[in-house]
Amino acid sequence: MSAAVDMSRFVRSEKVEALPPPNLARGPIAWVRENLFSGPFNTILTLAVLYLLYVIIPPIVDFLFINAVWTGSDRDACRAETAGHPVGACWAFVIDKINYFVYGSYPGAERWRVDGFFILLAVGVAWLLWLRAPRRDLGAVYFFWLFPVLSYILLTGGNMDLGGRFWLGFLAVGLLFVAVMGLAAYLLKASIRSAVIIGAVILAVIGLTLGLVDIDWGLDHVPTSLWGGILVTLLVATVGIVFSLPFGVLLALGRRSRLPIVRMGSVIFIEFVRGVPLITVLIMANTMLPLFLPGDMTVDRLARPLIGVAFFASAYMAEVVRGGLQAMPKGQYEGAMSLGLNYPQMMIFIILPQALRIVIPGIVNTFIGLFKDTSLVAIVGIFDLIKTIEASRIDPEWAAPTISYTGYAFAALFYFIFCWGMSRYSLGVERRLAAGQNR
Amino acid sequence: MATTLTTQQVRAAAVDPRAEAAVQMIDVHKWYGEFHVLRDINLNVRRGERIVICGPSGSGKSTMIRCINRLEEHQKGRIIVDGTELTNDLKRIDEVRREVGMVFQHFNLFPHLTILENCTLAPIWVKKMPKKEAEEVAMKYLTRVKIPEQANKYPGQLSGGQQQRVAIARSLCMSPKIMLFDEPTSALDPEMVKEVLDTMVSLAEEGMTMLCVTHEMGFARQVADRVIFMDYGQIVEMNTPDEFFKNPQHERTRLFLSQILH
């Protein structure tokens, strides 16, 4: 074709076969020259960064590994004058205190129950997160119902001892509820039979849940004031994550609702909770919640910040989900409506799956923020991981110069592993979903 | 004087219960805020009738057919679809939408579902059809629009013409009595227009009641029973295709036709 520059008429006579692209692979030296030393400015930057790394990295490695103390039973192992060599991180301290960091003051003989909770949590998380796991629908039932119930029984000991009067009252309220469901169905001209069945099923699930926590399983009662460490951190994070997604979706839908009351309620809730710091929410949940309740009713000291965190995360999640809903083209709504799908069907099958996929990065971002924010529950006296470290580092048994640094380094490592794991997982999901649709 | 008479005649025809009416629009008006987008629309579509609606952009033709399945709400007048009047009653709206299929300019397929799932979703959840039966029905219609082999692909993997044929099949899976087409070929590459029009022609030949907003005048000549020309939210002229193209009455119609027929 090169000779054809001045041709004014042309008819292709043979097809041009597809050729491989020109060789783009290059050696490491070419890469370095192109990316690190491509000009005077980049060369200076590269050298400056290399110098910074030279200044920072060796002392960190020295501290964390080379001069670190791995064994020992008290402060003598971690003091330079008694150990006889410069001392970096005192991992012996973490190893010695690890049970406290994991379980808090949970009684030693009962700690297998906490281990059970960790295993149940791991099973649930793996079942839900592994996208090709079998029966993920059962996984959802497990994670959102069975796992919380079992965890409650395991951790507190169950045996709520509700008493016969409570059950009589429950039965009465339950029957009334089913009757109201049936009446509502009659008034709305819907199927009375299915309404009564739905009501009975809801009643049965609640009854079964209460029954399970009412039974005396022979476990000792462990008050929540003894819980602590990683147990509490994971518990707060799990409750926050499990509640924030469904509530966030409901709030986001509420905020876009055509019904003024629903919309106003959602807007007020979201803007109020987003408008105050988490610490304020926690302190309010801790001190003001009991004021609103009747005198003989108390909310558990651990449950208060749990509720606060769940509210807080829901408000943020609602805004993330709303972003996804607004990114949906109008045509998707119209396509669904023109087929006769009603509002819940349209949302569940068409809009939410796509909207939530768009905002996976935002959802995971909120989860990561929530996970780290759990450390703020220490403000209201809950012994999460950070608080147990705080309490341990002033232990005179382990009074040594690097104890505090070691404790915080351990906490940093713990948070980093979890947050980085969430981030990597979400990247994997995004890539998989994108590949599935091949767009 | 003459115009009043005509309007009255149209109205009389519109409310005549003996007429085999699929769609009746009586004195329909609609506003977007202050903007009067539909003005005095009177239209009576008989069962099995094929109607082509054309007009300049912004003339209200899309809005008019979108009122028929309540994607847009009319503010004045009555719309009766297959004997059911459209009101704010959600149950009635759902009833009408079950009977009325719609094909959009931009297909509006669900990108996260396969072609087969796109076609079976509504029959399974709206008509409560067993999954297996729904899949059989879907394959039947996908075969009709000549793409059964794409059933397990995603919409994004298909060409525009194929996607639009899937959209037609998806609507047909609900066995609608009336089909609405909103510029079904406007977003397609020129080479894909024919395959979609062929599908629509075969549908028309089977006696489906159709309302098509389109500028494919060849299609209008071939299948339409009536052609409607709209401008400024009004029906300007309505006639059989022969008369409409050969002998347009209104000055605006003549101008429009002279612009699009070269």
Side-chain angles (χ1 to χ4, degrees):
Chain A
M1 274 299 290
S2 54
V5 180
D6 52 358
M7 280 192 339
S8 57
R9 293 196 296 167
F10 172 72
V11 177
R12 170 135 343 258
S13 54
E14 63 207 54
K15 195 180 164 212
V16 179
E17 294 301 325
L19 298 170
N23 191 6
L24 295 172
R26 241 161 301 149
I29 295 175
W31 184 89
V32 166
R33 198 180 306 140
E34 210 164 277
N35 290 289
L36 300 181
F37 300 101
S38 59
F41 181 66
N42 279 350
T43 307
I44 293 169
L45 268 187
T46 303
L47 291 176
V49 168
L50 281 178
Y51 175 71
L52 268 180
L53 289 178
Y54 167 74
V55 172
I56 295 168
I57 298 289
I60 290 183
V61 172
D62 258 2
F63 179 84
L64 290 180
F65 303 107
I66 295 172
N67 288 334
V69 175
W70 300 88
T71 53
S73 54
D74 62 4
R75 61 187 173 179
D76 290 344
C78 293
R79 295 178 83 97
E81 59 269 31
T82 46
H85 57 83
V87 169
C90 182
W91 297 118
F93 159 73
V94 173
I95 292 165
D96 185 55
K97 295 277 186 188
I98 190 71
N99 277 338
Y100 184 53
F101 292 162
V102 174
Y103 306 104
S105 309
Y106 211 90
E110 305 291 337
R111 283 181 181 168
W112 62 269
R113 283 153 61 174
V114 179
D115 295 335
F117 162 73
F118 287 146
I119 291 168
L120 289 175
L121 176 64
V123 168
V125 168
W127 201 346
L128 277 193
L129 295 195
W130 181 30
L131 294 173
R132 258 165 286 175
R135 295 311 302 270
R136 292 179 75 217
D137 49 343
L138 279 184
V141 173
Y142 169 83
F143 195 74
F144 290 101
W145 182 67
L146 194 60
F147 163 66
V149 174
L150 288 181
S151 302
Y152 181 83
I153 295 168
L154 261 181
L155 292 175
T156 64
N159 191 12
M160 272 170 87
D161 204 13
L162 296 164
R165 270 184 64 200
F166 171 85
W167 283 109
L168 275 180
F170 176 75
L171 205 64
V173 172
L175 289 176
L176 197 68
F177 170 71
V178 173
V180 168
M181 287 281 288
L183 188 68
Y186 171 74
L187 291 177
L188 292 170
K189 298 192 179 72
S191 158
I192 298 175
R193 198 164 145 252
S194 55
V196 169
I197 290 173
I198 291 170
V201 167
I202 293 173
L203 196 66
V205 170
I206 297 174
L208 190 59
T209 308
L210 288 171
L212 282 172
V213 299
D214 187 31
I215 296 172
D216 185 356
W217 296 88
L219 296 170
D220 283 341
H221 179 64
V222 181
T224 53
S225 53
L226 297 179
W227 304 10
I230 289 174
L231 163 64
V232 162
T233 295
L234 287 184
L235 188 72
V236 177
T238 309
V239 169
I241 286 172
V242 166
F243 275 89
S244 66
L245 195 54
F247 277 101
V249 168
L250 287 179
L251 281 170
L253 293 178
R255 189 164 186 168
R256 287 166 61 84
S257 167
R258 277 210 249 165
L259 305 172
I261 297 176
V262 176
R263 190 172 58 234
M264 279 291 286
S266 306
V267 169
I268 290 172
F269 179 87
I270 292 170
E271 294 302 336
F272 176 73
V273 174
R274 278 204 317 163
V276 294
L278 177 57
I279 291 182
T280 319
V281 174
L282 288 176
I283 292 175
M284 279 201 301
N286 197 42
T287 57
M288 286 170 67
L289 200 60
L291 294 181
F292 295 129
L293 295 172
D296 55 342
M297 226 176 119
T298 55
V299 179
D300 185 273
R301 272 183 61 79
L302 181 60
R304 292 177 209 165
L306 279 183
I307 295 168
V309 167
F311 274 4
F312 194 75
S314 304
Y316 275 84
M317 194 57 74
E319 289 299 281
V320 171
V321 173
R322 189 166 69 96
L325 290 175
Q326 279 177 345
M328 289 300 298
K330 213 171 147 226
Q332 291 292 307
Y333 291 89
E334 290 177 349
M337 284 192 287
S338 75
L339 287 169
L341 296 176
N342 61 26
Y343 181 82
Q345 289 168 341
M346 173 171 81
M347 283 298 160
I348 292 170
F349 297 123
I350 308 300
I351 304 300
L352 282 176
Q354 298 184 64
L356 291 179
R357 207 198 94 191
I358 298 172
V359 293
I360 287 176
I363 291 174
V364 174
N365 193 30
T366 310
F367 282 168
I368 289 175
L370 168 68
F371 190 80
K372 291 185 292 185
D373 281 351
T374 57
S375 56
L376 289 173
V377 297
I379 290 283
V380 290
I382 306 296
F383 272 73
D384 79 319
L385 175 61
I386 298 285
K387 190 88 174 181
T388 55
I389 290 171
E390 296 261 278
S392 305
R393 75 189 179 90
I394 51 174
D395 179 358
E397 273 287 291
W398 280 99
T402 61
I403 289 298
S404 297
Y405 303 130
T406 310
Y408 290 130
F410 173 70
L413 187 69
F414 170 82
Y415 282 104
F416 179 77
I417 287 171
F418 274 82
C419 295
W420 192 66
M422 281 192 252
S423 162
R424 297 308 301 177
Y425 175 78
S426 85
L427 280 181
V429 170
E430 275 172 56
R431 221 171 299 148
R432 207 195 86 101
L433 288 177
Q437 292 182 26
N438 200 7
R439 295 212 292 162
Chain B
M1 193 60 195
T3 24
T4 354
L5 236 173
T6 336
T7 319
Q8 274 172 358
Q9 281 169 344
V10 171
R11 248 173 244 180
V15 291
D16 182 1
R18 286 164 304 171
E20 274 283 283
V23 179
Q24 284 172 283
M25 301 179 92
I26 307 161
D27 293 340
V28 171
H29 290 258
K30 177 176 173 59
W31 289 262
Y32 283 134
E34 291 283 300
F35 179 58
H36 199 170
V37 60
L38 287 183
R39 308 177 192 181
D40 188 37
I41 301 290
N42 281 287
L43 177 64
N44 195 343
V45 184
R46 291 185 304 276
R47 283 184 207 291
E49 203 177 12
R50 277 90 58 171
I51 291 184
V52 164
I53 302 151
C54 57
S57 60
S59 60
K61 49 196 193 308
S62 285
T63 311
M64 184 176 88
I65 68 163
R66 287 155 61 90
C67 281
I68 295 172
N69 66 350
R70 196 68 166 197
L71 290 184
E72 305 280 355
E73 199 176 318
H74 62 284
Q75 278 121 9
K76 224 177 130 209
R78 301 171 67 196
I79 300 179
I80 300 157
V81 182
D82 194 37
T84 310
E85 177 159 6
L86 281 168
T87 60
N88 282 325
D89 186 348
L90 289 177
K91 258 191 156 171
R92 283 198 194 179
I93 295 174
D94 284 343
E95 244 169 67
V96 165
R97 284 179 182 161
R98 273 201 290 274
E99 304 294 336
V100 179
M102 184 156 195
V103 175
F104 300 86
Q105 181 177 4
H106 296 289
F107 329 137
N108 296 356
L109 295 177
F110 308 130
H112 62 302
L113 301 177
T114 63
I115 300 307
L116 189 63
E117 288 166 340
N118 262 281
C119 293
T120 56
L121 183 81
I124 290 173
W125 291 96
V126 179
K127 295 187 108 177
K128 314 287 176 206
M129 200 184 271
K131 191 172 176 222
K132 228 171 151 198
E133 195 187 328
E135 281 175 359
E136 278 163 20
V137 171
M139 286 314 293
K140 186 181 101 189
Y141 285 113
L142 286 174
T143 311
R144 247 205 72 173
V145 301
K146 303 196 179 71
I147 33 177
E149 70 283 359
Q150 313 282 5
N152 291 314
K153 290 193 183 168
Y154 287 91
Q157 294 165 292
L158 270 55
S159 73
Q162 288 174 324
Q163 290 194 43
Q164 194 59 297
R165 284 185 282 151
V166 170
I168 294 173
R170 180 177 74 173
S171 286
L172 292 178
C173 284
M174 288 294 286
S175 346
K177 292 184 181 154
I178 302 161
M179 285 286 285
L180 309 174
F181 292 84
D182 189 359
E183 306 207 26
T185 56
S186 306
L188 296 177
D189 285 345
E191 283 183 301
M192 315 260 167
V193 170
K194 188 171 177 299
E195 61 187 55
V196 171
L197 286 180
D198 285 348
T199 310
M200 290 166 62
V201 169
S202 81
L203 201 57
E205 280 163 359
E206 282 176 21
M208 174 68 76
T209 310
M210 292 164 73
L211 284 94
C212 312
V213 172
T214 183
H215 292 137
E216 296 294 336
M217 291 303 144
F219 174 77
R221 280 207 181 93
Q222 192 181 346
V223 305
D225 297 311
R226 264 191 288 170
V227 180
I228 293 175
F229 174 69
M230 287 182 74
D231 197 12
Y232 293 110
Q234 305 155 65
I235 295 179
V236 174
E237 188 160 348
M238 170 154 70
N239 214 332
T240 61
D242 274 355
E243 283 296 302
F244 182 83
F245 291 112
K246 266 189 222 142
N247 197 8
Q249 301 294 312
H250 198 283
E251 198 181 328
R252 183 67 187 91
T253 318
R254 283 200 286 268
L255 178 66
F256 179 76
L257 287 176
S258 73
Q259 298 291 342
I260 62 163
L261 302 173
H262 309 290

